[in-house]
Amino acid sequence: MATRNIEADEEMIRVPEHMLMTASKVRREVLARASDNGLVQSSAWRLSEHQALVYWTYDQRSKLGLSVWDTYVNTLPRDFSSVPLYVLSGTEPASSLSVNTDAEKWVAEHLPHSVLLKVTEQQERLFNDWTCTCEVLIKFNIESPVDWRRYVWAWLVVNTRCIHLGRHTTGNQQSAVSSQPNSAVFQPISDHDSMALAPLLDLLNHNCQARVSTYFDTGRRQFVIKTLRRYCKGEEAFISYGPHDNGFMLAEYGFALAENPHCALELDCKVEMWISTVKANLNTRRARATIKSTDVDALVDVLKQHGLWGDFTLFSGSAELPYRLQAAMYLVFAAMKPGAGIKGVISQWERWQRGENTSVSEEVDLAVKNWVSRTCSEVAEHSSKLLDNIQAKQNDDARGSECLDPFLVHCIRLIWTTINKIAIESTSL
């Protein structure tokens, strides 16, 4: 909350260097402990910045009450029950998601496919980070993380709260203040540090309309947040986590927005399933096309070469199909016409892609529109059924049945409501 008027281009927050925890500080701290143990193996330090900060966070939680960072640790969430990964990461170290309990199964079954894929990738990174950390700490004769749930918590602290350091110099570059305690934590950050944890900054909320500039000022040795818009006294000041849709927001940060201008309907999975069906029909000669299934792979390779494979998304309020989806559909449907030659189709499509030939046959154009309409109708029907299931879940939880975090259920409902809305709108594109 602004305690006074804040003008545009004014610095809202400055965090001094000694309050930033970075990987280089963690490394110094661990090497100092290893030296006390008679072990100095700096070359054995192989943790990434993210891994180092997760270990540090885990360690601070383990010695709560004995650390100079106790105040900061006490401001952190006690859990991340609205983050899907926290629910699905299980009770023991594993590279795959846990879907054993009713609550876990419900979340996995009701997350959109693209979100579930992202959470699956997060679990793989989480397990890999845990494994690497244990292997490195053993070499320094330091106890490895043994509490998996605490490690998951620490991993999410870093994933949801770290800041990214830019570099910006004002005036003469200064060194760290000499009066700081002789501790690795209070030493200067390294020029190689690109991320950090900083007390209180995670209390700033996200807003899609927020306009800020953030950087580490190497002259004043401070992390700076500068607003690019004016705030009046008493108005809440925001930062922006980036132009992300609600699926990304839920997976990364554990929330979704009722009004998010970046929401979209992702059709990557539908396109990939359709491509697989086309290839299967060609293999069984159920299609009239003259191309082979291997030709379809060649078409996908062409799209990849042009940077047009994937990210097939529809947006609310769109008056026409997005270019990426048009390009993929036009290429494959043109190749499926009886008598079409693969080389000629690719050549003609490349001319269309360059703008040299803007015409597309009415047959191909109609086939593309029919596919989109049929696919969006299927998505609308599926999302409507899921929304009914989610409403039933919310009713059961209100009556005291096994309860997930109500906010997580609410966010999943928000995502499917948006998907349903965009799918219904897009059936008439």
Side-chain angles (χ1 to χ4, degrees):
M1 199 72 68
T3 58
R4 61 172 177 80
N5 292 341
I6 304 175
E7 301 303 324
D9 208 37
E10 183 177 350
E11 293 176 354
M12 290 196 301
I13 294 177
R14 295 189 297 271
V15 182
E17 181 176 41
H18 70 268
M19 293 183 66
L20 299 174
M21 176 50 63
T22 65
S24 66
K25 292 185 178 182
V26 177
R27 180 178 182 273
R28 293 181 196 129
E29 190 177 73
V30 170
L31 290 178
R33 290 162 61 182
S35 178
D36 292 341
N37 295 335
L39 299 170
V40 179
Q41 303 179 40
S42 58
S43 61
W45 184 260
R46 291 288 187 270
L47 295 186
S48 68
E49 288 188 78
H50 192 278
Q51 291 167 350
L53 287 172
V54 172
Y55 163 69
W56 178 84
T57 305
Y58 177 98
D59 190 49
Q60 298 306 305
R61 178 75 176 268
S62 301
K63 56 187 181 186
L64 198 59
L66 303 173
S67 169
V68 296
W69 291 86
D70 281 352
T71 301
Y72 170 57
V73 175
N74 283 327
T75 68
L76 297 172
R78 306 310 295 174
D79 62 55
F80 289 90
S81 57
S82 67
V83 179
L85 179 64
Y86 189 80
V87 178
L88 299 174
S89 52
T91 58
E92 300 293 336
S95 60
S96 57
L97 297 175
S98 173
V99 286
N100 298 315
T101 68
D102 290 342
E104 292 168 345
K105 291 176 182 177
W106 191 93
V107 172
E109 291 170 357
H110 288 80
L111 286 176
H113 181 74
S114 59
V115 180
L116 186 60
L117 282 179
K118 184 171 183 59
V119 178
T120 301
E121 293 169 356
Q122 288 178 324
Q123 178 76 11
E124 293 171 355
R125 294 203 309 272
L126 168 67
F127 180 72
N128 179 69
D129 288 350
W130 178 83
T131 301
C132 291
T133 301
C134 291
E135 291 174 351
V136 168
L137 293 179
I138 287 175
K139 297 177 181 178
F140 290 91
N141 198 27
I142 293 176
E143 183 180 4
S144 300
V146 293
D147 187 330
W148 173 248
R149 294 306 297 169
R150 184 182 298 166
Y151 188 83
V152 173
W153 170 84
W155 197 91
L156 287 171
V157 166
V158 176
N159 202 58
T160 60
R161 279 158 168 74
C162 72
I163 58 175
H164 292 274
L165 303 172
R167 289 295 189 271
H168 179 75
T169 302
T170 59
N172 295 325
Q173 185 164 327
Q174 304 168 6
S175 60
V177 179
S178 59
S179 61
Q180 294 295 347
N182 185 22
S183 165
V185 172
F186 293 99
Q187 295 306 304
I189 67 175
S190 166
D191 289 339
H192 299 294
D193 288 322
S194 65
M195 59 193 295
L197 289 172
L200 303 180
L201 287 189
D202 53 358
L203 299 180
L204 287 166
N205 288 324
H206 164 80
N207 187 294
C208 295
Q209 307 304 320
R211 296 172 59 232
V212 297
S213 173
T214 64
Y215 54 87
F216 180 75
D217 189 320
T218 58
R220 292 179 294 173
R221 311 302 297 177
Q222 296 174 340
F223 182 79
V224 178
I225 298 181
K226 179 188 292 185
T227 179
L228 303 181
R229 55 150 291 186
R230 188 176 189 273
Y231 286 102
C232 296
K233 181 179 179 179
E235 188 178 358
E236 183 176 359
F238 293 96
I239 58 174
S240 173
Y241 298 170
H244 305 299
D245 66 14
N246 276 342
F248 181 95
M249 287 294 189
L250 181 62
E252 289 291 325
Y253 302 113
F255 70 87
L257 302 171
E259 299 294 333
N260 186 342
H262 306 296
C263 281
L265 169 56
E266 184 178 309
L267 295 179
D268 290 39
C269 178
K270 294 293 184 180
V271 173
E272 291 170 2
M273 290 174 60
W274 174 67
I275 290 292
S276 296
T277 300
V278 169
K279 292 172 61 178
N281 289 340
L282 290 171
N283 285 331
T284 56
R285 301 186 180 279
R286 291 167 59 185
R288 294 184 300 156
T290 54
I291 63 172
K292 304 184 293 293
S293 62
T294 53
D295 293 329
V296 178
D297 292 330
L299 297 178
V300 172
D301 287 339
V302 169
L303 290 168
K304 290 179 179 178
Q305 291 165 12
H306 285 80
L308 292 171
W309 179 252
D311 193 19
F312 303 122
T313 51
L314 299 173
F315 297 90
S316 180
S318 296
E320 58 183 22
L321 292 178
Y323 179 77
R324 297 181 67 84
L325 186 58
Q326 278 186 337
M329 294 285 104
Y330 284 172
L331 179 59
V332 178
F333 270 113
M336 291 175 61
K337 292 176 61 178
I342 188 70
K343 292 183 178 179
V345 167
I346 293 175
S347 177
Q348 184 177 14
W349 177 85
E350 287 180 334
R351 290 197 300 273
W352 169 84
Q353 199 260 338
R354 292 193 299 267
E356 298 173 4
N357 178 14
T358 58
S359 63
V360 176
S361 73
E362 292 184 5
E363 182 182 354
V364 170
D365 190 54
L366 180 60
V368 171
K369 290 180 178 178
N370 286 341
W371 184 91
V372 173
S373 178
R374 182 173 63 255
T375 300
C376 288
S377 294
E378 293 171 356
V379 173
E381 182 179 358
H382 177 66
S383 58
S384 293
K385 292 179 180 178
L386 283 176
L387 285 169
D388 289 341
N389 292 340
I390 294 170
Q391 181 62 62
K393 173 66 175 174
Q394 290 176 314
N395 293 339
D396 289 344
D397 289 346
R399 289 193 291 266
S401 62
E402 182 186 6
C403 187
L404 287 163
D405 186 329
F407 186 65
L408 172 58
V409 179
H410 167 74
C411 290
I412 294 175
R413 182 175 183 174
L414 274 180
I415 294 173
W416 281 113
T417 299
T418 302
I419 289 174
N420 182 261
K421 176 178 180 291
I422 297 175
I424 291 174
E425 291 176 352
S426 300
T427 55
S428 57
L429 284 178

